Amino acid sequence: MARVPKHEVVESLLDSLSEALVVLDPALEVLEWNASMEHLTGVTRADAVGRRADTVLPLFRDASLASLVSRAAAGETPETIELPHTTPGDNRSRWLEARCVPWRDDAGRVAGVAAFFTDVSNPQRRALLLHAMEAIGQSLTSSLDLNEVLDTIVGKALEVMGAESAMVVLGDAGASEYKVMRAAGRLSDQYAVIGSIPIGGGPVSVAVREGRTIATRNILTDPKLWLAPLRRADIEREGFKATVAAPLAAKDRILGALVVHYWTERSFGSEEIAALEFLAKQAAIAIRNASLYEAEQAEAARIRALTTVNRRISSALELDALLRAISESAAELTGARLVTFWLADEQRRTLSLTSGTVAEMVESFTPRIMSYDQGTVGWVALHREKLVVDDLARDERNVVRAWTDRWGIRSFSGFPVLAGEELLAVMVVAHTEPLRFGKDKQDMMDLFLAQAAIAIQNARLFHEAKRRRDVAEVLARLARELTSTLEVEPIAKLLARGSAELVNARAAGVFLLEPEDGTLRALATHGVDADTMGELIFKPGEGAVGRAVAERRIVATADILADPAIKLSAWVRERIRASGYRAVVGVPLLTHDRVIGALGLGADPGSTFSREELQTLEALADQASLAFENARLYASARDSLVRLRETQAQLVQAAKMSALGQLVSGVAHELNNPLSVIVGYGQLLLAREVPAAVLRPIELMVAQADRMAKIVRNLLLFARQRPAERMPVNLNEVLDQTLALRLNQMQISAIAVDKKFARGLPSVLADPHQLEQVFLNLLLNAEQAMLEAKHGGRIILTTGVTRDGRSVYAEVIDDGPGIPHEALPHVFEPFFTTKTVGTGTGLGLSVSYGIVEEHGGHLVVDSRPGRTVFRLELPVAQSTAARRAAPAGSPMVVTGDGRAALVVEDEASVLDLVVTILSQTGWRVDVATGGREALERVRRQRYDLIVSDIRMPDGDGEQFYRDATTGDPSLGPRFIFITGDTANREAFSFIREAGALVVEKPFQPAFFLDAVRRVTS
């Protein structure tokens, strides 16, 4: 690597250069560092040579300089550039001109780079200052907008002074604090948001107070300055140190100061101080001109605003619109943060907040009604005089301190709006700073208030005339409409609508009294908040309507949520709070001898109901009460006629059902015997290995026989006129046992079943077999509905206890297509079905409904597309000490092992079936075709099992049982009765008395064998 010749002549030559020179090798390592470079950077030759340039001097990390070095190392001679540099220890920003050339060895090859630096700070600063002067001059001549002027000033201060932040503050020596008008640069948002600087002994305060520029290397450590603790904390958080503040002086008046900050310690030369003072002087002129222009514009705006007010006042007759217009115009005229109007009620000596310019502030204000001896606004009303308060925080008349603190309201100006001796309203002007009204402005305000008073009177007269006309029209119309109908609901709707129109209410509701519990429920509502009022249910004596009913008089309140005399439940209070009304009136609806309900109305917060309005509402309520009474009498007569017709129809239907029951009983008995044979032998064949060609026909045969059996069973249940066999039953167990019958088929059909059973479910007194029938019907109904609409689905079974603890419920929920709306009222009627032809009998739900009603319970349905819920409720058993035997689960088979069985059946086919089933399971079987023959066999031989029909021509099963057990009581538990006539009262009574096990025809072999197991185990 080539090196610079090391001898004194060369070194002396390099040091004689006025330009600062540094020679770098290709690796940017310093080879030479002359005396001018030492002076410029403060780094000695010994500390620099042999080290990388960017570690010696941060200037070499600048991207533009690095680009020049790279180009010179490549053999180019690039153009010169200017860049800023701060000398360590001095902290003054300088501008350096940098140029780089290739450094060649003796052979002419590029061996490094020679970089030359020249201090051009003074020319650069002069150029910046001239540019700033030009920009500010253009701003003065081209714009009088204060914001634009302030932006130009702080921007040029940053540029000319090389500062890290700049700020313009306004305020003279007599101000309590300095207002920050504009800030730019490195200052944080939090600092700028504070918006003010307190008076103290810092650079700003001293510069304004003494009218001279104040500069400091470190504002926190300068002993000539002092800072308040909060001000010091703000500066420490920001981190700036060196500061210069130049006063903004215009025509011997100090307007404020122009301030620049640096985040390091540094000194300031006279040229820099002069530059900032020049900027401050020009800025003061610009600010003064812009302020004067702004003041003239504001005055012109105020005059225009007053003209607008006059125009609005002369054209407005609606009181609400008028007050809103006056508030907005007064805010424009005064420049206040908030202007409100309080309407006076001389009779009650109260003021109601009716309008304001800032909706959010008005909505958060409480209370909205004040008496004449309450607060600052009350003082104005009481004394009929203007009141000005510069500092509300120190005034004891301020009763809304939390509100004024929240919104930063400091000053209050209240003006009475008078018409002779009558107080019409109070106008309040509130602001964050004290407001002062000069003579011209005060004259304008007086004229404004006088015109406002006249306009309010005109609006009141117009409103009263219009109200009386509306009342007359509404009363006349309602009288016609109320007498034109005898239906309760239309009357209620007419009353709600008419009363709301009469008093301009947000909501009106007609509440009728429930005789059972004394609650008041809305029959009809009208208005903006009608939905909210329609949801409310009032307990006896609750709310304004409840008190009106209890006391039989009109009850009115200005704020139902704040009135201690009005009782409200928590949920009613929350619903009213969410609505838009607060003023409420309740008017009782009275007939000759009783209260039938109440009329309730809700109005906007701050509203009041006048005496005339209350009298009108009372007259309207009396007229409506008479219409309600007429409607009640009409409805009573109509209902009596309907009940008479229904009773006649029920008598005819009862006679039909009695005959149908007798017919069904006989038909079922005749059908059950052949069905038993078909089902029995079909099941036996399916239990064997049969050729595939005949398997499907057998399955179809058995399935259709099962269907027929279900029809017969449903008919028997529908016609059955005996009481159910009641015992303590757990619904969870019954649901599980019923589900077991269909679970396999549901899985095949891709129907998922979710069980959500309540633990510790109380028992109910019920017939478990009948409940199984109910649940099976509900499951089949859900299953078939889903399969008709799609493949698969989901059924949810839930159980639980009702809220009052008196009933247990079970729900069968499916996600099928739902029941059509027009079919829903008919689903429990006999022979009504929505299923396709061949898949339903129309008896399942009607039979289930009858069983549940017979148990003292209820079966209801709710349906919509995608969700159908059948809900069954049964009363909890009064005593659950006795426990019934659990219904049989999955059928189990017990072999006979050669034991003797006697089968008594007059139907040969059924007899053959039973013998076959018993023989296949190891029983030794004897048969008899009637009770007399069977009795002879029992007397000759002892049997382990006796299977007998009940109705037989040659001695029935009942007489056979009684004779057989009289001689040998131990035979009683060995009897199984097979019958298809359980609808017969005598047969049922006998079975219940004997306590014997019954297998109803038709039956499946597996369940018959399960019955055998239960008898012989």
Side-chain angles (χ1 to χ4, degrees):
M1 181 182 299
R3 297 288 183 181
V4 179
K6 293 294 183 178
H7 48 79
E8 294 181 359
V9 175
V10 173
E11 185 173 304
S12 175
L13 180 61
L14 294 177
D15 287 342
S16 66
L17 293 175
S18 61
E19 289 182 294
L21 169 67
V22 59
V23 180
L24 308 175
D25 67 8
L28 300 184
E29 185 177 311
V30 178
L31 300 178
E32 275 300 334
W33 190 275
N34 72 352
S36 296
M37 195 67 182
E38 288 182 335
H39 177 73
L40 180 66
T41 64
V43 180
T44 65
R45 179 187 289 113
D47 291 334
V49 173
R51 295 171 55 193
R52 282 182 57 88
D54 55 0
T55 64
V56 177
L57 195 63
L59 183 66
F60 281 96
R61 300 172 194 164
D62 187 281
S64 56
L65 179 59
S67 174
L68 258 64
V69 171
S70 298
R71 291 170 60 187
E76 299 181 29
T77 302
E79 69 281 358
T80 62
I81 63 171
E82 293 183 358
L83 65 164
H85 169 65
T86 301
T87 303
D90 185 7
N91 291 327
R92 286 187 301 167
S93 180
R94 300 185 181 186
W95 284 89
L96 303 181
E97 180 184 78
R99 59 187 179 88
C100 296
V101 297
W103 180 270
R104 301 180 184 276
D105 59 12
D106 296 338
R109 294 187 299 268
V110 176
V113 175
F116 297 90
F117 298 95
T118 304
D119 188 348
V120 293
S121 298
N122 290 334
Q124 179 72 13
R125 183 170 288 107
R126 282 192 294 272
L128 289 175
L129 185 57
L130 289 173
H131 181 65
M133 291 170 59
E134 181 183 358
I136 294 175
Q138 290 178 352
S139 178
L140 287 170
T141 57
S142 65
S143 174
L144 286 174
D145 182 87
L146 183 59
N147 290 320
E148 291 184 10
V149 170
L150 292 172
D151 287 336
T152 302
I153 292 169
V154 295
K156 294 309 174 183
L158 286 173
E159 187 176 353
V160 170
M161 298 300 294
E164 295 178 76
S165 71
M167 180 170 67
V168 174
V169 298
L170 296 185
D172 56 21
S176 60
E177 61 182 13
Y178 301 115
K179 186 176 181 181
V180 177
M181 300 299 296
R182 188 70 81 249
R186 191 171 168 181
L187 291 173
S188 68
D189 292 339
Q190 181 180 359
Y191 186 89
V193 165
I194 294 173
S196 62
I197 295 175
I199 296 297
V204 173
S205 297
V206 175
V208 171
R209 187 166 55 246
E210 299 181 4
R212 61 186 181 88
T213 301
I214 301 300
T216 176
R217 286 181 57 86
N218 190 329
I219 190 173
L220 296 174
T221 60
D222 194 329
K224 298 178 181 178
L225 304 174
W226 66 270
L227 302 170
L230 290 178
R231 174 66 175 155
R232 179 175 292 275
D234 289 340
I235 296 173
E236 289 174 345
R237 184 181 65 251
E238 291 300 314
F240 61 80
K241 292 182 174 60
T243 304
V244 185
L248 298 173
K251 291 191 175 181
D252 300 327
R253 183 187 170 194
I254 304 298
L255 304 179
L258 175 60
V259 191
V260 293
H261 302 112
Y262 303 82
W263 265 248
T264 57
E265 293 187 3
R266 58 159 296 182
S267 300
F268 299 94
S270 58
E271 291 185 355
E272 292 177 305
I273 297 296
L276 185 63
E277 288 176 343
F278 174 79
L279 286 176
K281 183 177 180 181
Q282 299 302 313
I285 296 172
I287 291 172
R288 181 174 181 276
N289 291 341
S291 298
L292 291 174
Y293 174 76
E294 193 175 69
E296 291 176 359
Q297 290 294 103
E299 190 64 25
R302 290 188 183 96
I303 295 173
R304 287 194 300 271
L306 185 58
T307 304
T308 303
V309 168
N310 292 334
R311 185 172 60 253
R312 288 177 177 176
I313 290 175
S314 61
S315 63
L317 288 175
E318 287 292 342
L319 189 58
D320 291 342
L322 172 64
L323 294 178
R324 187 163 48 252
I326 294 174
S327 300
E328 293 170 354
S329 299
E332 294 175 8
L333 181 67
T334 61
R337 176 83 165 89
L338 175 68
V339 177
T340 58
F341 258 94
W342 294 75
L343 203 61
D345 186 337
E346 289 280 73
Q347 182 179 355
R348 296 185 176 90
R349 295 182 66 78
T350 59
L351 296 162
S352 302
L353 178 60
T354 57
S355 65
T357 53
V358 183
E360 186 180 4
M361 295 176 69
V362 174
E363 290 171 2
S364 66
F365 190 95
T366 56
R368 305 182 72 83
I369 298 178
M370 289 189 180
S371 63
Y372 281 11
D373 57 356
Q374 185 179 9
T376 50
V377 65
W379 190 97
V380 175
L382 182 64
H383 294 84
R384 306 294 207 268
E385 295 178 8
K386 180 180 74 171
L387 174 64
V388 177
V389 179
D390 287 341
D391 192 350
L392 284 170
R394 299 181 180 180
D395 197 299
E396 61 183 11
R397 290 168 295 190
N398 181 15
V399 295
V400 289
R401 201 171 302 277
W403 182 87
T404 55
D405 290 344
R406 173 187 175 186
W407 295 103
I409 297 299
R410 181 179 171 187
S411 68
F412 168 96
S413 298
F415 302 89
V417 181
L418 299 168
E421 294 299 323
E422 182 186 5
L423 178 68
L424 302 179
V426 172
M427 185 180 74
V428 175
V429 179
H431 196 51
T432 55
E433 297 291 338
L435 289 174
R436 291 290 180 268
F437 301 104
K439 185 179 183 304
D440 293 341
K441 187 177 292 186
Q442 185 61 55
D443 290 343
M444 293 172 64
M445 288 291 292
D446 291 340
L447 178 61
F448 167 75
L449 291 171
Q451 291 179 330
I454 296 172
I456 291 175
Q457 280 185 308
N458 292 340
R460 278 186 171 181
L461 293 173
F462 171 78
H463 177 74
E464 181 62 21
K466 182 175 180 297
R467 188 194 67 80
R468 291 186 178 184
R469 185 198 65 192
D470 292 343
V471 167
E473 291 178 353
V474 170
L475 287 177
R477 188 188 76 242
L478 288 176
R480 293 192 301 269
E481 293 176 342
L482 288 173
T483 55
S484 66
T485 180
L486 287 172
E487 297 293 333
V488 172
E489 189 169 346
I491 293 173
K493 289 181 178 179
L494 288 172
L495 179 57
R497 187 192 69 198
S499 59
E501 293 173 355
L502 278 174
V503 298
N504 194 28
R506 288 185 63 88
V510 178
F511 293 83
L512 294 187
L513 188 65
E514 295 288 343
E516 295 81 5
D517 55 8
T519 58
L520 288 166
R521 297 174 183 268
L523 179 62
T525 57
H526 184 82
V528 177
D529 292 324
D531 292 341
T532 298
M533 184 170 282
E535 298 173 356
L536 303 181
I537 300 174
F538 294 99
K539 298 176 182 177
E542 182 183 15
V545 291
R547 280 192 60 194
V549 168
E551 301 175 10
R552 295 193 172 204
R553 66 176 181 86
I554 293 178
V555 175
T557 175
D559 190 340
I560 191 170
L561 297 180
D563 193 335
I566 303 294
K567 297 179 181 178
L568 295 173
S569 59
W571 78 271
V572 171
R573 184 176 294 276
E574 288 304 317
R575 294 299 297 143
I576 294 177
R577 181 174 285 111
S579 72
Y581 66 86
R582 292 294 181 272
V584 173
V585 63
V587 185
L589 298 174
L590 302 170
T591 61
H592 298 295
D593 57 349
R594 63 193 181 96
V595 181
I596 62 174
L599 171 64
L601 296 102
D604 289 315
S607 300
T608 56
F609 297 96
S610 66
R611 181 184 306 168
E612 293 78 8
E613 288 175 332
L614 295 179
Q615 291 173 347
T616 302
L617 290 174
E618 188 174 26
L620 180 60
D622 290 341
Q623 194 168 7
S625 298
L626 181 60
F628 278 126
E629 183 66 12
N630 292 339
R632 184 187 67 82
L633 295 174
Y634 169 75
S636 178
R638 182 185 57 192
D639 292 344
S640 297
L641 179 61
V642 171
R643 284 196 297 271
L644 178 60
R645 291 174 178 172
E646 289 177 349
T647 302
Q648 291 174 340
Q650 290 171 358
L651 289 174
V652 174
Q653 183 67 18
K656 289 182 180 179
M657 294 305 295
S658 178
L660 177 62
Q662 295 176 5
L663 176 63
V664 165
S665 178
V667 171
H669 180 71
E670 295 303 321
L671 288 177
N672 275 334
N673 284 330
L675 282 176
S676 297
V677 176
I678 296 172
V679 173
Y681 278 114
Q683 292 288 351
L684 291 176
L685 286 173
L686 290 176
R688 301 177 183 176
E689 294 186 4
V690 296
V694 298
L695 178 61
R696 180 59 180 165
I698 294 174
E699 289 176 342
L700 291 174
M701 176 187 71
V702 173
Q704 293 305 309
D706 280 338
R707 182 180 171 215
M708 293 174 63
K710 291 172 186 174
I711 294 173
V712 172
R713 188 180 302 113
N714 286 335
L715 287 170
L716 284 172
L717 287 170
F718 184 69
R720 181 176 294 167
Q721 297 178 0
R722 59 176 172 81
E725 180 184 2
R726 305 295 173 84
M727 61 180 67
V729 175
N730 186 289
L731 287 190
N732 290 347
E733 297 176 1
V734 177
L735 271 172
D736 268 330
Q737 292 155 5
T738 308
L739 183 60
L741 302 177
R742 295 299 304 170
L743 188 59
N744 184 59
Q745 183 62 39
M746 289 181 178
Q747 291 174 344
I748 294 174
S749 302
I751 296 176
V753 179
D754 292 340
K755 296 189 296 184
K756 299 180 179 179
F757 294 168
R759 295 183 178 179
L761 199 65
S763 297
V764 297
L765 282 177
D767 185 325
H769 302 292
Q770 290 187 357
L771 290 186
E772 286 179 4
Q773 180 67 36
V774 171
F775 289 131
L776 185 60
N777 286 339
L778 297 180
L779 287 171
L780 288 171
N781 186 72
E783 180 182 348
Q784 292 169 3
M786 287 188 289
L787 292 179
E788 285 185 6
K790 60 181 180 180
H791 180 70
R794 182 174 297 276
I795 295 176
I796 302 174
L797 304 178
T798 66
T799 62
V801 182
T802 58
R803 291 184 177 179
D804 57 13
R806 298 179 180 177
S807 300
V808 173
Y809 69 85
E811 293 179 335
V812 179
I813 307 170
D814 69 74
D815 61 355
I819 301 171
H821 179 72
E822 63 276 5
L824 203 57
H826 308 288
V827 293
F828 295 119
E829 296 177 3
F831 300 104
F832 179 83
T833 180
T834 60
K835 301 170 185 173
T836 56
V837 177
T839 60
T841 64
L843 287 173
L845 291 179
S846 63
V847 168
S848 300
Y849 186 84
I851 291 174
V852 175
E853 289 291 319
E854 189 177 303
H855 281 74
H858 304 285
L859 180 62
V860 295
V861 62
D862 179 59
S863 183
R864 62 176 185 269
R867 180 179 173 86
T868 298
V869 181
F870 281 90
R871 181 182 175 96
L872 177 153
E873 288 189 14
L874 293 172
V876 173
Q878 296 300 318
S879 174
T880 58
R883 296 183 59 191
R884 69 175 182 89
S890 300
M892 298 178 62
V893 177
V894 175
T895 58
D897 295 329
R899 287 180 287 178
L902 175 62
V903 180
V904 187
E905 172 64 62
D906 65 324
E907 186 73 30
S909 58
V910 177
L911 177 63
D912 183 68
L913 171 64
V914 175
V915 170
T916 300
I917 294 172
L918 291 174
S919 299
Q920 289 182 353
T921 54
W923 288 89
R924 182 167 47 82
V925 184
D926 291 336
V927 299
T929 58
R932 296 185 183 89
E933 180 184 355
L935 183 60
E936 293 176 0
R937 285 186 174 276
V938 168
R939 288 174 176 172
R940 293 197 305 267
Q941 181 179 344
R942 184 173 183 80
Y943 291 97
D944 299 296
L945 174 66
I946 301 173
V947 181
S948 175
D949 196 357
I950 293 181
R951 292 175 61 179
M952 294 177 289
D954 187 19
D956 60 25
E958 178 182 352
Q959 190 59 47
F960 165 51
Y961 175 83
R962 295 187 188 280
D963 293 341
T965 54
T966 299
D968 184 0
S970 64
L971 290 176
R974 303 178 191 178
F975 269 80
I976 296 177
F977 288 102
I978 54 175
T979 181
D981 192 23
T982 56
N984 183 282
R985 287 193 174 188
E986 292 78 10
F988 173 75
S989 299
F990 158 66
I991 293 171
R992 185 174 184 182
E993 177 187 346
L997 192 62
V998 178
V999 176
E1000 295 188 21
K1001 299 177 183 177
F1003 55 83
Q1004 296 182 8
F1007 286 97
F1008 172 75
L1009 291 175
D1010 185 60
V1012 172
R1013 175 190 62 79
R1014 294 166 64 185
V1015 169
T1016 59
S1017 295

